[in-house]
Amino acid sequence: MTFKSKNEIAPELLTSSTSSIILRCPFPSCHARIIAYSATATPSVDIDHAPLCASIESYHSQKSDPKLSSSTTAFYSIGDVWDFDNIGVSKPSEVLPDPIVVGANGHEDESEKVDVERLLICSECDRGPLGFAGIAIGEDKTHLNLKYFLSQNSVLYDVGN
Ligand SMILES: [Zn+2]
């Protein structure tokens, strides 16, 4: 199997409706299947000031453990936790003081503010964070209202035919 990082994958593969891509845990001894990527079911969102996430610089030139990075701004938005194949959650180690703004690719009218409630980790190896889950401001603080955001640079891309 050949995996690629976000930086190494051809952009047109991510927009094609015919490509088959599995997003996998980035840690070398794990590589568990996290979720099936789909251009329509896992739309991209830009998020400033997101929590620290594991970040893969370049998978092929440096097969080391991903490092934590605060520069992660590109995420996939996942509405339903059942879309994931393997995902775990943990409480943030520090409380983030302010809600963060989730922008819909520059469409300012579609942006919303989200309180970070959980960090996403791989449920196989318990490592991460690979993203976070939050609840939009004004909605009830119940897990039913959690929205999930998977960091695009925190997962490996397993491209099928
Ligand atoms: Zn894992």
Side-chain angles (χ1 to χ4, degrees):
M1 284 189 283
T2 53
F3 302 145
K4 288 185 160 70
S5 70
K6 176 79 194 312
N7 295 332
E8 292 163 335
I9 194 170
E12 56 267 28
L13 278 176
L14 293 172
T15 52
S16 163
S17 58
T18 56
S19 52
S20 158
I21 301 173
I22 305 298
L23 304 183
R24 292 184 177 272
C25 172
F27 292 94
S29 55
C30 182
H31 291 162
R33 181 184 162 119
I34 301 292
I35 193 170
Y37 172 83
S38 148
T40 49
T42 48
S44 295
V45 288
D46 293 324
I47 302 173
D48 290 330
H49 312 299
L52 284 172
C53 289
S55 178
I56 309 161
E57 288 298 321
S58 168
Y59 180 64
H60 279 112
S61 60
Q62 192 189 0
K63 289 190 184 184
S64 56
D65 275 4
K67 310 229 173 354
L68 287 181
S69 170
S70 60
S71 61
T72 315
T73 58
F75 286 80
Y76 297 120
S77 170
I78 292 130
D80 190 338
V81 68
W82 298 109
D83 289 345
F84 289 100
D85 298 308
N86 286 292
I87 202 71
V89 292
S90 67
K91 293 216 171 187
S93 53
E94 54 179 323
V95 176
L96 294 153
D98 296 316
I100 55 176
V101 176
V102 176
N105 280 338
H107 301 291
E108 217 160 275
D109 48 330
E110 291 174 30
S111 68
E112 60 181 347
K113 285 188 171 177
V114 169
D115 274 325
V116 176
E117 301 283 331
R118 295 284 188 276
L119 298 177
L120 301 184
I121 55 174
C122 171
S123 60
E124 286 291 315
C125 66
D126 288 336
R127 286 180 288 184
L130 308 179
F132 66 95
I135 295 176
I137 300 292
E139 295 194 352
D140 289 341
K141 299 276 186 186
T142 152
H143 71 276
L144 295 174
N145 286 330
L146 280 173
K147 298 167 188 292
Y148 295 82
F149 300 96
L150 183 66
S151 163
Q152 299 187 8
N153 292 311
S154 297
V155 286
L156 287 173
Y157 294 70
D158 179 4
V159 182
N161 294 314

